[in-house]
Amino acid sequence: NFVLMKALILIGLLCMAAALILMIFFQKLIALILFLVINGFGTGLVLPCINSFITGSVDKEKRGLITSLYHSVRFGGVALGPPSFGWLMTKKSWILFGSNVAIIALAFLWSIWAIRVKGQGKDGTGSQRKEKESYWKRLSLPKPKALAKDKIM
């Protein structure tokens, strides 16, 4: 259910942002552990939904390529995360947590704008073909051959 998954992504991002904002103000260990659990809960809501969106929105013959690109980017983040956070930990705590909240806020806004599910199209019809068309228009990329054959534009 793509509508539910979009909602779970947005809720997860809000949980992550709220936990990180609260970490700025509370320095006790038990509070930090509680906020890390909330942050992990938010991450647990977001990542499976993103995986499902990516694998569910790509044709079967292109699914392997797209998922491998997605996982490559994800593992790049895993590789760059520890050195980046190690450097940020030498700064003040509000810089560490505030920079993450800013990134999460951008992801939240981008998720609202970019994730279009059936029934949420600009014309209200939820047509999958029109949704695919709008992605290519927004990205300013040439239409794939499958869409060009349908003569949607």
Side-chain angles (χ1 to χ4, degrees):
N1 186 349
F2 287 118
V3 176
L4 177 62
M5 286 193 301
K6 180 178 180 177
L8 290 175
I9 288 172
L10 296 175
I11 290 168
L13 289 170
L14 286 175
C15 287
M16 293 165 63
L20 290 170
I21 289 170
L22 291 171
M23 282 183 184
I24 295 171
F25 302 108
F26 295 94
Q27 301 300 319
K28 292 193 175 185
L29 182 61
I30 192 74
L32 291 176
I33 291 173
L34 173 68
F35 299 141
L36 283 174
V37 168
I38 294 170
N39 190 3
F41 175 75
T43 303
L45 288 177
V46 171
L47 287 180
C49 294
I50 289 174
N51 286 335
S52 294
F53 265 122
I54 290 172
T55 57
S57 64
V58 179
D59 294 333
K60 286 185 179 181
E61 55 271 356
K62 295 180 184 171
R63 191 170 292 165
L65 173 68
I66 298 300
T67 54
S68 68
L69 289 174
Y70 164 67
H71 289 297
S72 297
V73 170
R74 203 167 129 194
F75 290 126
V78 168
L80 294 175
S84 302
F85 278 84
W87 177 74
L88 283 171
M89 287 178 68
T90 63
K91 310 298 177 199
K92 297 185 184 243
S93 66
W94 69 267
I95 294 173
L96 170 67
F97 299 126
S99 62
N100 285 297
V101 170
I103 292 170
I104 291 170
L106 288 173
F108 182 83
L109 294 173
W110 183 71
S111 296
I112 290 173
W113 175 77
I115 299 174
R116 301 262 185 227
V117 294
K118 204 170 199 174
Q120 288 188 329
K122 289 182 181 179
D123 62 353
T125 63
S127 168
Q128 290 293 43
R129 292 178 189 240
K130 290 188 179 185
E131 293 304 322
K132 287 181 183 177
E133 171 189 40
S134 67
Y135 283 125
W136 296 109
K137 254 186 185 175
R138 279 187 276 170
L139 295 173
S140 298
L141 296 172
K143 288 189 298 181
K145 291 178 185 176
L147 288 177
K149 288 179 186 174
D150 293 339
K151 300 190 188 224
I152 293 174
M153 294 177 114

